[in-house]
Amino acid sequence: MGPIRVPPEMFRFTRGDRAGLYISVLHAFGEANERLETALSLLDIRARLRSVGWLEALEDDELITALAQLRDWNLVDVVQNHSENYRTADEYERRNLQYSLTRQGEAAFAGVVHAMGVLAATGALQTAVLDAIADRLGSLIQELETGTDRRIFSTLVELEAHLDALRGNTKQFNGELQRLLRADGANVTTFHEVKASTVAYLQEFLTNLEHRAHTIAVRVQRVEEHGVGLMQQRALAGADLPRLSATEPGPAWLEHRRAKWEGLRTWFLPVDGTHPRVEQLHVVARKAIIALLQVLDRITESRRRASSAVTDFRELARWFTVVPAHDDLHRLWSTAFGLSSARHAHLAHPDPELISSSSSWSHAPPVAVSPLLRASGRTERFSRTGKVREVAAVRAARAEQARAERAELEAAWDMLDTDGRVRLSSFGSLDHGVFERLLDLLGRALSATPGQGGTRRGTTSDGRIEILLRPTRDGVTATLTTARGQFRGPDYDIEIRTAGQRSRDASVGRR
């Protein structure tokens, strides 16, 4: 879904002192549309207002002003009715003008009705809707095989209606469920019953949920085997849409059907391989069951508790009244609340001789308290600055190690330099370090795509050493021996050289 842009004046009728009249007028038009009456005169609007519950006195000028305002907001349109016969001028003024809702007006009133319906509705997780979706998919498969275009259209519309019901009910129920998890009710008994019934409801919904979701996913695949595009084209032919404007209605209708089908796949069989949304619903329901059971345990535990915090404090207060000694009162206070003397009480002024020992704390100058005291329980300790580490020896040792490793690597490459094409089995016995270098080269060559004649080419990570690997036709097995064991594998013609160096065979061929 793209970004939603609502016209700024579309819902302006819901605000202000006259919002009640504006809503009643649109309600009157909505009731008329239910009876297929699209145009209303001033007298018709007044009669409809009484039927929708507007019982206040309303002058004609006030009603005309309200209709004019709705017309300015592009919610109501007005035309002249020239098909009637008018006997008097007053009758002409009252019956000549015909009012009707614009497309924006119909959308605005439908939005208000839907919003009020959402406020009044409570979502539900209904397994019957899942069964209905599976049944409609099964019917759709049968209609694609032997049915007519009209039957495909009606079945597809029913399927989309069930999917919309599933999505809408799930969103509303999930919102109510999250609010229930956050709620703290004053009546513990009521909340205990609500949470217990919700847990039972979720457990019943989760029963066979995976089986139902799998059935729907399988039937979605069967429909797609017949061709989703073909199904939608046949449904368009069965819809028999009228052309009421210059725009062809078919492409927009097909685009809406594609969006609905993508929504169905998102719920049960995503194209991108992600988890279906019905599985997310399964996870949310299970987490909600666990959270609700934990809340129920806390409620049950609180009911079992013999005393409360209020009772404990009253008992503590009674102890304070019966303890005779003043020191015992302080000891009881420290034991009950875990309080002790301040940790900074031992700190002294930087120059204690300037402050008399008899001075009160309230009159003495403040003492600086280290922030570290609160975090660690002690003040800073100043000590000698640590020595700077001498790293010259470490650098020299590392440089020597790097030179040794480089020399070892060069020696390994010199030992592996074939100076032309040789058999892998000709290496025989090798030092284990050299064998690891050779094995790395073989792995790089075998992972490359074979070229002309089956030749594979590989290079080291720095690009200095290159290996050419060619298959043999005699099927000989090569055996390489190291200090740690033996390596066996298919024999190859190999050539190891510095990258860019010409092979001996090529050089000989040009002489």
Side-chain angles (χ1 to χ4, degrees), residues 8 39 46 60 73 96 103 111 122 158-159 168 179-180 244 253 260 279 398 422 438 453 481 491:
R46 184 180 291 278
D60 288 346
W73 289 334
N96 178 41
R103 188 176 185 84
T122 56
E158 292 175 4
L159 172 63
R179 283 186 286 271
L180 177 62
L244 301 178
W253 191 88
K260 292 286 188 179
E279 292 185 6
R398 291 179 178 176
V422 299
L438 176 62
T481 304
D491 201 7

Side-chain angles (χ1 to χ4, degrees), residues 405-411 413-414 417 441 444 458-467 495-501:
E405 292 177 354
R406 189 63 188 174
E408 180 183 352
L409 182 62
E410 294 291 344
W413 292 140
D414 290 340
D417 187 4
L441 283 175
R444 294 176 183 271
T459 59
T460 57
S461 57
D462 58 2
R464 295 184 56 189
I465 306 301
E466 183 181 31
I467 180 173
E495 183 178 353
I496 302 176
R497 64 193 183 190
T498 303
Q501 179 182 359

Side-chain angles (χ1 to χ4, degrees), residues 187-209:
N187 191 337
V188 178
T189 303
T190 302
F191 268 75
H192 184 276
E193 295 175 356
V194 171
K195 289 179 171 64
S197 61
T198 304
V199 169
Y201 182 82
L202 289 172
Q203 290 175 339
E204 182 179 357
F205 174 74
L206 291 178
T207 304
N208 296 328
L209 176 60

Side-chain angles (χ1 to χ4, degrees), residues 120-188:
T122 56
L125 301 178
Q126 298 170 330
T127 54
V129 177
L130 296 175
D131 293 336
I133 292 176
D135 292 342
R136 292 301 90 199
L137 285 170
S139 301
L140 193 58
I141 295 171
Q142 295 178 0
E143 298 299 337
L144 286 171
E145 294 174 352
T146 60
T148 61
D149 294 345
R150 289 183 178 272
R151 289 293 304 164
I152 292 176
F153 164 72
S154 61
T155 307
L156 183 61
V157 170
E158 292 175 4
L159 172 63
E160 293 177 353
H162 291 310
L163 179 62
D164 291 340
L166 173 65
R167 296 167 60 183
N169 286 334
T170 301
K171 289 189 294 184
Q172 292 183 15
F173 182 82
N174 186 49
E176 293 291 338
L177 181 61
Q178 301 307 318
R179 283 186 286 271
L180 177 62
L181 293 175
R182 299 190 301 266
D184 290 327
N187 191 337
V188 178

Side-chain angles (χ1 to χ4, degrees), residues 275-332:
H275 292 289
R277 193 164 297 174
V278 69
E279 292 185 6
Q280 300 176 12
L281 179 61
H282 189 277
V283 173
V284 169
R286 292 185 64 88
K287 289 182 177 179
I289 289 175
I290 296 174
L292 288 172
L293 289 176
Q294 291 174 349
V295 173
L296 291 174
D297 288 341
R298 289 196 297 269
I299 294 176
T300 305
E301 187 64 26
S302 64
R303 289 180 173 181
R304 293 176 180 175
R305 186 177 177 182
S307 61
S308 62
V310 176
T311 306
D312 294 341
F313 277 111
R314 286 175 178 172
E315 182 66 20
L316 182 61
R318 189 183 65 81
W319 289 358
F320 274 102
T321 59
V322 299
V323 173
H326 188 74
D327 293 339
D328 293 337
L329 290 174
H330 283 287
R331 190 159 45 251
L332 177 60

Side-chain angles (χ1 to χ4, degrees), residues 426-466:
S426 65
F427 282 99
S429 299
L430 292 172
D431 180 76
H432 191 76
V434 177
F435 170 73
E436 289 182 345
R437 303 290 181 184
L438 176 62
L439 196 62
D440 178 65
L441 283 175
L442 291 174
R444 294 176 183 271
L446 290 173
S447 63
T449 304
Q452 185 176 6
T455 302
R456 300 175 185 266
R457 186 186 304 272
T459 59
T460 57
S461 57
D462 58 2
R464 295 184 56 189
I465 306 301
E466 183 181 31

